[in-house]
Amino acid sequence: MMNLNHKEWEQKMDNINWKEMLEDVEAALMDNLAAEIGFPTYDRLLQSSELISGRYHLTYLSDGRFAWWNPDTYATGEDPCFFSNKEEMVAYIASVIQLNQEQQEKLRFNLQSFQQMKRCETCDHEYNPKDPIRYEWDGDKDNQAYCSFECAVESVLKEEKDF
């Protein structure tokens, strides 16, 4: 263990880039949120979710459930909520963000157009099958079982190895 005198300790503390450290902690926290919902990164989660109000998001998962989440409340200890019953979900959302009856009906209607995610057969992460980035490597939409080119290749290599 390194023994530092008081002056050396103060110098080390002065040299820490606290802003960068806080940014790293926040990025790790958001990636943890993504993992809790089933995504490999926060960016992928964000791209696959619908903004409902303020910073509240809703994500339609591959198993038919909806994940309701907010990065700000997650950072303060509130976990995402998961709903398999749409009416319970609408009632919960209405109570959290104070939706009137008309707004609740609009939310019910908009739920019909939400893109349901798929689960990758290789890495088991959720992904948006209509993400434009996927068309760069899956233009013919032949590999809908995989979230990325890397997972598709890994699957082929595993099949060849098993053969």
PDB file of all heavy atoms in Angstrom, residues 23-52:
ATOM      1  N   GLU A  23     -18.505  12.489 -15.223  1.00  0.00           N
ATOM      2  CA  GLU A  23     -19.039  12.083 -16.523  1.00  0.00           C
ATOM      3  C   GLU A  23     -18.901  10.574 -16.718  1.00  0.00           C
ATOM      4  O   GLU A  23     -19.814   9.925 -17.228  1.00  0.00           O
ATOM      5  CB  GLU A  23     -18.342  12.849 -17.650  1.00  0.00           C
ATOM      6  CG  GLU A  23     -18.722  14.312 -17.716  1.00  0.00           C
ATOM      7  CD  GLU A  23     -17.848  15.123 -18.668  1.00  0.00           C
ATOM      8  OE1 GLU A  23     -16.877  14.585 -19.231  1.00  0.00           O
ATOM      9  OE2 GLU A  23     -18.161  16.329 -18.825  1.00  0.00           O
ATOM     10  N   ASP A  24     -17.774  10.019 -16.307  1.00  0.00           N
ATOM     11  CA  ASP A  24     -17.560   8.574 -16.412  1.00  0.00           C
ATOM     12  C   ASP A  24     -18.538   7.800 -15.527  1.00  0.00           C
ATOM     13  O   ASP A  24     -19.087   6.773 -15.933  1.00  0.00           O
ATOM     14  CB  ASP A  24     -16.125   8.199 -16.040  1.00  0.00           C
ATOM     15  CG  ASP A  24     -15.096   8.664 -17.056  1.00  0.00           C
ATOM     16  OD1 ASP A  24     -15.492   9.050 -18.185  1.00  0.00           O
ATOM     17  OD2 ASP A  24     -13.892   8.644 -16.717  1.00  0.00           O
ATOM     18  N   VAL A  25     -18.762   8.311 -14.331  1.00  0.00           N
ATOM     19  CA  VAL A  25     -19.703   7.665 -13.410  1.00  0.00           C
ATOM     20  C   VAL A  25     -21.117   7.722 -13.977  1.00  0.00           C
ATOM     21  O   VAL A  25     -21.849   6.731 -13.962  1.00  0.00           O
ATOM     22  CB  VAL A  25     -19.638   8.308 -12.005  1.00  0.00           C
ATOM     23  CG1 VAL A  25     -20.799   7.861 -11.135  1.00  0.00           C
ATOM     24  CG2 VAL A  25     -18.299   7.984 -11.344  1.00  0.00           C
ATOM     25  N   GLU A  26     -21.507   8.877 -14.520  1.00  0.00           N
ATOM     26  CA  GLU A  26     -22.840   9.019 -15.101  1.00  0.00           C
ATOM     27  C   GLU A  26     -23.020   8.088 -16.305  1.00  0.00           C
ATOM     28  O   GLU A  26     -24.056   7.449 -16.448  1.00  0.00           O
ATOM     29  CB  GLU A  26     -23.120  10.457 -15.517  1.00  0.00           C
ATOM     30  CG  GLU A  26     -24.536  10.628 -16.044  1.00  0.00           C
ATOM     31  CD  GLU A  26     -24.892  12.063 -16.404  1.00  0.00           C
ATOM     32  OE1 GLU A  26     -24.238  12.998 -15.923  1.00  0.00           O
ATOM     33  OE2 GLU A  26     -25.844  12.225 -17.178  1.00  0.00           O
ATOM     34  N   ALA A  27     -22.003   7.995 -17.162  1.00  0.00           N
ATOM     35  CA  ALA A  27     -22.077   7.104 -18.329  1.00  0.00           C
ATOM     36  C   ALA A  27     -22.210   5.653 -17.879  1.00  0.00           C
ATOM     37  O   ALA A  27     -23.013   4.887 -18.436  1.00  0.00           O
ATOM     38  CB  ALA A  27     -20.851   7.277 -19.215  1.00  0.00           C
ATOM     39  N   ALA A  28     -21.462   5.261 -16.861  1.00  0.00           N
ATOM     40  CA  ALA A  28     -21.554   3.892 -16.344  1.00  0.00           C
ATOM     41  C   ALA A  28     -22.929   3.632 -15.740  1.00  0.00           C
ATOM     42  O   ALA A  28     -23.509   2.550 -15.924  1.00  0.00           O
ATOM     43  CB  ALA A  28     -20.457   3.646 -15.307  1.00  0.00           C
ATOM     44  N   LEU A  29     -23.480   4.616 -15.052  1.00  0.00           N
ATOM     45  CA  LEU A  29     -24.812   4.484 -14.464  1.00  0.00           C
ATOM     46  C   LEU A  29     -25.876   4.314 -15.546  1.00  0.00           C
ATOM     47  O   LEU A  29     -26.756   3.465 -15.445  1.00  0.00           O
ATOM     48  CB  LEU A  29     -25.121   5.709 -13.590  1.00  0.00           C
ATOM     49  CG  LEU A  29     -26.434   5.698 -12.831  1.00  0.00           C
ATOM     50  CD1 LEU A  29     -26.462   4.549 -11.824  1.00  0.00           C
ATOM     51  CD2 LEU A  29     -26.638   7.027 -12.120  1.00  0.00           C
ATOM     52  N   MET A  30     -25.776   5.095 -16.628  1.00  0.00           N
ATOM     53  CA  MET A  30     -26.752   4.988 -17.718  1.00  0.00           C
ATOM     54  C   MET A  30     -26.607   3.650 -18.458  1.00  0.00           C
ATOM     55  O   MET A  30     -27.602   3.055 -18.866  1.00  0.00           O
ATOM     56  CB  MET A  30     -26.616   6.161 -18.681  1.00  0.00           C
ATOM     57  CG  MET A  30     -27.022   7.510 -18.084  1.00  0.00           C
ATOM     58  SD  MET A  30     -28.737   7.557 -17.459  1.00  0.00           S
ATOM     59  CE  MET A  30     -28.485   7.438 -15.690  1.00  0.00           C
ATOM     60  N   ASP A  31     -25.384   3.161 -18.616  1.00  0.00           N
ATOM     61  CA  ASP A  31     -25.203   1.838 -19.219  1.00  0.00           C
ATOM     62  C   ASP A  31     -25.764   0.755 -18.311  1.00  0.00           C
ATOM     63  O   ASP A  31     -26.277  -0.261 -18.786  1.00  0.00           O
ATOM     64  CB  ASP A  31     -23.733   1.570 -19.547  1.00  0.00           C
ATOM     65  CG  ASP A  31     -23.284   2.273 -20.820  1.00  0.00           C
ATOM     66  OD1 ASP A  31     -24.162   2.681 -21.632  1.00  0.00           O
ATOM     67  OD2 ASP A  31     -22.062   2.413 -21.023  1.00  0.00           O
ATOM     68  N   ASN A  32     -25.704   0.969 -17.000  1.00  0.00           N
ATOM     69  CA  ASN A  32     -26.304   0.022 -16.054  1.00  0.00           C
ATOM     70  C   ASN A  32     -27.826   0.025 -16.205  1.00  0.00           C
ATOM     71  O   ASN A  32     -28.463  -1.041 -16.158  1.00  0.00           O
ATOM     72  CB  ASN A  32     -25.904   0.368 -14.619  1.00  0.00           C
ATOM     73  CG  ASN A  32     -26.299  -0.708 -13.651  1.00  0.00           C
ATOM     74  OD1 ASN A  32     -25.814  -1.827 -13.730  1.00  0.00           O
ATOM     75  ND2 ASN A  32     -27.200  -0.373 -12.740  1.00  0.00           N
ATOM     76  N   LEU A  33     -28.411   1.205 -16.389  1.00  0.00           N
ATOM     77  CA  LEU A  33     -29.850   1.310 -16.650  1.00  0.00           C
ATOM     78  C   LEU A  33     -30.202   0.511 -17.901  1.00  0.00           C
ATOM     79  O   LEU A  33     -31.152  -0.272 -17.906  1.00  0.00           O
ATOM     80  CB  LEU A  33     -30.263   2.777 -16.813  1.00  0.00           C
ATOM     81  CG  LEU A  33     -31.664   3.051 -17.368  1.00  0.00           C
ATOM     82  CD1 LEU A  33     -32.745   2.499 -16.448  1.00  0.00           C
ATOM     83  CD2 LEU A  33     -31.853   4.544 -17.599  1.00  0.00           C
ATOM     84  N   ALA A  34     -29.419   0.701 -18.961  1.00  0.00           N
ATOM     85  CA  ALA A  34     -29.659  -0.022 -20.212  1.00  0.00           C
ATOM     86  C   ALA A  34     -29.591  -1.525 -19.986  1.00  0.00           C
ATOM     87  O   ALA A  34     -30.453  -2.273 -20.465  1.00  0.00           O
ATOM     88  CB  ALA A  34     -28.648   0.405 -21.271  1.00  0.00           C
ATOM     89  N   ALA A  35     -28.592  -1.981 -19.265  1.00  0.00           N
ATOM     90  CA  ALA A  35     -28.439  -3.421 -18.995  1.00  0.00           C
ATOM     91  C   ALA A  35     -29.621  -3.956 -18.198  1.00  0.00           C
ATOM     92  O   ALA A  35     -30.097  -5.068 -18.451  1.00  0.00           O
ATOM     93  CB  ALA A  35     -27.133  -3.669 -18.252  1.00  0.00           C
ATOM     94  N   GLU A  36     -30.121  -3.158 -17.266  1.00  0.00           N
ATOM     95  CA  GLU A  36     -31.270  -3.581 -16.459  1.00  0.00           C
ATOM     96  C   GLU A  36     -32.509  -3.796 -17.329  1.00  0.00           C
ATOM     97  O   GLU A  36     -33.322  -4.672 -17.060  1.00  0.00           O
ATOM     98  CB  GLU A  36     -31.539  -2.528 -15.377  1.00  0.00           C
ATOM     99  CG  GLU A  36     -32.402  -3.021 -14.264  1.00  0.00           C
ATOM    100  CD  GLU A  36     -32.447  -2.081 -13.079  1.00  0.00           C
ATOM    101  OE1 GLU A  36     -31.438  -1.419 -12.765  1.00  0.00           O
ATOM    102  OE2 GLU A  36     -33.527  -2.026 -12.455  1.00  0.00           O
ATOM    103  N   ILE A  37     -32.620  -3.024 -18.397  1.00  0.00           N
ATOM    104  CA  ILE A  37     -33.764  -3.147 -19.305  1.00  0.00           C
ATOM    105  C   ILE A  37     -33.486  -4.173 -20.404  1.00  0.00           C
ATOM    106  O   ILE A  37     -34.406  -4.701 -21.014  1.00  0.00           O
ATOM    107  CB  ILE A  37     -34.140  -1.761 -19.879  1.00  0.00           C
ATOM    108  CG1 ILE A  37     -34.586  -0.852 -18.715  1.00  0.00           C
ATOM    109  CG2 ILE A  37     -35.245  -1.861 -20.914  1.00  0.00           C
ATOM    110  CD1 ILE A  37     -34.860   0.588 -19.112  1.00  0.00           C
ATOM    111  N   GLY A  38     -32.204  -4.495 -20.636  1.00  0.00           N
ATOM    112  CA  GLY A  38     -31.869  -5.547 -21.592  1.00  0.00           C
ATOM    113  C   GLY A  38     -31.063  -5.095 -22.800  1.00  0.00           C
ATOM    114  O   GLY A  38     -30.906  -5.856 -23.753  1.00  0.00           O
ATOM    115  N   PHE A  39     -30.535  -3.873 -22.771  1.00  0.00           N
ATOM    116  CA  PHE A  39     -29.794  -3.322 -23.898  1.00  0.00           C
ATOM    117  C   PHE A  39     -28.298  -3.284 -23.594  1.00  0.00           C
ATOM    118  O   PHE A  39     -27.912  -3.137 -22.432  1.00  0.00           O
ATOM    119  CB  PHE A  39     -30.298  -1.909 -24.226  1.00  0.00           C
ATOM    120  CG  PHE A  39     -31.649  -1.901 -24.871  1.00  0.00           C
ATOM    121  CD1 PHE A  39     -32.801  -1.989 -24.103  1.00  0.00           C
ATOM    122  CD2 PHE A  39     -31.772  -1.819 -26.243  1.00  0.00           C
ATOM    123  CE1 PHE A  39     -34.053  -1.999 -24.692  1.00  0.00           C
ATOM    124  CE2 PHE A  39     -33.018  -1.820 -26.850  1.00  0.00           C
ATOM    125  CZ  PHE A  39     -34.158  -1.927 -26.074  1.00  0.00           C
ATOM    126  N   PRO A  40     -27.457  -3.357 -24.631  1.00  0.00           N
ATOM    127  CA  PRO A  40     -26.015  -3.350 -24.390  1.00  0.00           C
ATOM    128  C   PRO A  40     -25.456  -1.982 -23.993  1.00  0.00           C
ATOM    129  O   PRO A  40     -24.460  -1.906 -23.293  1.00  0.00           O
ATOM    130  CB  PRO A  40     -25.414  -3.810 -25.722  1.00  0.00           C
ATOM    131  CG  PRO A  40     -26.435  -3.445 -26.743  1.00  0.00           C
ATOM    132  CD  PRO A  40     -27.771  -3.572 -26.049  1.00  0.00           C
ATOM    133  N   THR A  41     -26.100  -0.897 -24.442  1.00  0.00           N
ATOM    134  CA  THR A  41     -25.625   0.451 -24.123  1.00  0.00           C
ATOM    135  C   THR A  41     -26.812   1.384 -23.929  1.00  0.00           C
ATOM    136  O   THR A  41     -27.927   1.121 -24.408  1.00  0.00           O
ATOM    137  CB  THR A  41     -24.750   1.045 -25.257  1.00  0.00           C
ATOM    138  OG1 THR A  41     -25.576   1.237 -26.418  1.00  0.00           O
ATOM    139  CG2 THR A  41     -23.552   0.159 -25.585  1.00  0.00           C
ATOM    140  N   TYR A  42     -26.538   2.495 -23.265  1.00  0.00           N
ATOM    141  CA  TYR A  42     -27.568   3.506 -23.065  1.00  0.00           C
ATOM    142  C   TYR A  42     -28.006   4.109 -24.396  1.00  0.00           C
ATOM    143  O   TYR A  42     -29.197   4.353 -24.606  1.00  0.00           O
ATOM    144  CB  TYR A  42     -27.056   4.603 -22.115  1.00  0.00           C
ATOM    145  CG  TYR A  42     -28.067   5.686 -21.880  1.00  0.00           C
ATOM    146  CD1 TYR A  42     -29.238   5.423 -21.162  1.00  0.00           C
ATOM    147  CD2 TYR A  42     -27.868   6.970 -22.364  1.00  0.00           C
ATOM    148  CE1 TYR A  42     -30.183   6.409 -20.940  1.00  0.00           C
ATOM    149  CE2 TYR A  42     -28.807   7.971 -22.139  1.00  0.00           C
ATOM    150  CZ  TYR A  42     -29.957   7.684 -21.433  1.00  0.00           C
ATOM    151  OH  TYR A  42     -30.898   8.662 -21.226  1.00  0.00           O
ATOM    152  N   ASP A  43     -27.058   4.325 -25.299  1.00  0.00           N
ATOM    153  CA  ASP A  43     -27.415   4.884 -26.611  1.00  0.00           C
ATOM    154  C   ASP A  43     -28.403   3.987 -27.341  1.00  0.00           C
ATOM    155  O   ASP A  43     -29.368   4.473 -27.942  1.00  0.00           O
ATOM    156  CB  ASP A  43     -26.168   5.095 -27.479  1.00  0.00           C
ATOM    157  CG  ASP A  43     -25.336   6.276 -27.008  1.00  0.00           C
ATOM    158  OD1 ASP A  43     -25.885   7.159 -26.316  1.00  0.00           O
ATOM    159  OD2 ASP A  43     -24.131   6.307 -27.332  1.00  0.00           O
ATOM    160  N   ARG A  44     -28.187   2.686 -27.297  1.00  0.00           N
ATOM    161  CA  ARG A  44     -29.115   1.750 -27.956  1.00  0.00           C
ATOM    162  C   ARG A  44     -30.486   1.785 -27.286  1.00  0.00           C
ATOM    163  O   ARG A  44     -31.511   1.728 -27.955  1.00  0.00           O
ATOM    164  CB  ARG A  44     -28.568   0.322 -27.917  1.00  0.00           C
ATOM    165  CG  ARG A  44     -27.424   0.075 -28.858  1.00  0.00           C
ATOM    166  CD  ARG A  44     -27.935  -0.642 -30.114  1.00  0.00           C
ATOM    167  NE  ARG A  44     -26.879  -1.038 -30.989  1.00  0.00           N
ATOM    168  CZ  ARG A  44     -26.327  -2.246 -31.014  1.00  0.00           C
ATOM    169  NH1 ARG A  44     -26.725  -3.174 -30.181  1.00  0.00           N
ATOM    170  NH2 ARG A  44     -25.380  -2.520 -31.872  1.00  0.00           N
ATOM    171  N   LEU A  45     -30.505   1.864 -25.961  1.00  0.00           N
ATOM    172  CA  LEU A  45     -31.779   1.969 -25.235  1.00  0.00           C
ATOM    173  C   LEU A  45     -32.506   3.239 -25.639  1.00  0.00           C
ATOM    174  O   LEU A  45     -33.696   3.205 -25.968  1.00  0.00           O
ATOM    175  CB  LEU A  45     -31.539   1.957 -23.723  1.00  0.00           C
ATOM    176  CG  LEU A  45     -32.738   2.296 -22.842  1.00  0.00           C
ATOM    177  CD1 LEU A  45     -33.868   1.292 -23.024  1.00  0.00           C
ATOM    178  CD2 LEU A  45     -32.311   2.385 -21.374  1.00  0.00           C
ATOM    179  N   LEU A  46     -31.805   4.343 -25.656  1.00  0.00           N
ATOM    180  CA  LEU A  46     -32.407   5.630 -25.989  1.00  0.00           C
ATOM    181  C   LEU A  46     -32.967   5.629 -27.410  1.00  0.00           C
ATOM    182  O   LEU A  46     -34.085   6.108 -27.647  1.00  0.00           O
ATOM    183  CB  LEU A  46     -31.365   6.736 -25.824  1.00  0.00           C
ATOM    184  CG  LEU A  46     -31.835   8.157 -25.665  1.00  0.00           C
ATOM    185  CD1 LEU A  46     -32.851   8.289 -24.542  1.00  0.00           C
ATOM    186  CD2 LEU A  46     -30.661   9.075 -25.412  1.00  0.00           C
ATOM    187  N   GLN A  47     -32.228   5.067 -28.353  1.00  0.00           N
ATOM    188  CA  GLN A  47     -32.676   5.011 -29.750  1.00  0.00           C
ATOM    189  C   GLN A  47     -33.896   4.109 -29.929  1.00  0.00           C
ATOM    190  O   GLN A  47     -34.642   4.267 -30.892  1.00  0.00           O
ATOM    191  CB  GLN A  47     -31.546   4.500 -30.645  1.00  0.00           C
ATOM    192  CG  GLN A  47     -30.389   5.446 -30.762  1.00  0.00           C
ATOM    193  CD  GLN A  47     -29.159   4.786 -31.383  1.00  0.00           C
ATOM    194  OE1 GLN A  47     -29.101   3.584 -31.565  1.00  0.00           O
ATOM    195  NE2 GLN A  47     -28.178   5.605 -31.701  1.00  0.00           N
ATOM    196  N   SER A  48     -34.087   3.181 -29.010  1.00  0.00           N
ATOM    197  CA  SER A  48     -35.168   2.206 -29.129  1.00  0.00           C
ATOM    198  C   SER A  48     -36.382   2.557 -28.283  1.00  0.00           C
ATOM    199  O   SER A  48     -37.306   1.754 -28.166  1.00  0.00           O
ATOM    200  CB  SER A  48     -34.646   0.826 -28.718  1.00  0.00           C
ATOM    201  OG  SER A  48     -33.566   0.448 -29.530  1.00  0.00           O
ATOM    202  N   SER A  49     -36.392   3.732 -27.694  1.00  0.00           N
ATOM    203  CA  SER A  49     -37.454   4.131 -26.774  1.00  0.00           C
ATOM    204  C   SER A  49     -38.200   5.345 -27.297  1.00  0.00           C
ATOM    205  O   SER A  49     -37.692   6.101 -28.111  1.00  0.00           O
ATOM    206  CB  SER A  49     -36.847   4.447 -25.400  1.00  0.00           C
ATOM    207  OG  SER A  49     -36.161   3.331 -24.898  1.00  0.00           O
ATOM    208  N   GLU A  50     -39.402   5.496 -26.794  1.00  0.00           N
ATOM    209  CA  GLU A  50     -40.234   6.655 -27.127  1.00  0.00           C
ATOM    210  C   GLU A  50     -40.247   7.606 -25.941  1.00  0.00           C
ATOM    211  O   GLU A  50     -40.481   7.188 -24.803  1.00  0.00           O
ATOM    212  CB  GLU A  50     -41.671   6.211 -27.430  1.00  0.00           C
ATOM    213  CG  GLU A  50     -41.804   5.282 -28.605  1.00  0.00           C
ATOM    214  CD  GLU A  50     -41.574   5.962 -29.941  1.00  0.00           C
ATOM    215  OE1 GLU A  50     -41.797   7.188 -30.026  1.00  0.00           O
ATOM    216  OE2 GLU A  50     -41.188   5.260 -30.883  1.00  0.00           O
ATOM    217  N   LEU A  51     -39.996   8.878 -26.208  1.00  0.00           N
ATOM    218  CA  LEU A  51     -40.074   9.902 -25.177  1.00  0.00           C
ATOM    219  C   LEU A  51     -41.552  10.208 -24.939  1.00  0.00           C
ATOM    220  O   LEU A  51     -42.280  10.524 -25.871  1.00  0.00           O
ATOM    221  CB  LEU A  51     -39.324  11.160 -25.614  1.00  0.00           C
ATOM    222  CG  LEU A  51     -39.267  12.303 -24.619  1.00  0.00           C
ATOM    223  CD1 LEU A  51     -38.533  11.885 -23.352  1.00  0.00           C
ATOM    224  CD2 LEU A  51     -38.588  13.509 -25.257  1.00  0.00           C
ATOM    225  N   ILE A  52     -41.978  10.105 -23.691  1.00  0.00           N
ATOM    226  CA  ILE A  52     -43.393  10.316 -23.364  1.00  0.00           C
ATOM    227  C   ILE A  52     -43.630  11.731 -22.825  1.00  0.00           C
ATOM    228  O   ILE A  52     -44.479  12.451 -23.306  1.00  0.00           O
ATOM    229  CB  ILE A  52     -43.888   9.267 -22.334  1.00  0.00           C
ATOM    230  CG1 ILE A  52     -43.709   7.849 -22.878  1.00  0.00           C
ATOM    231  CG2 ILE A  52     -45.346   9.516 -21.949  1.00  0.00           C
ATOM    232  CD1 ILE A  52     -44.477   7.566 -24.167  1.00  0.00           C
TER     233      ILE A  52
END
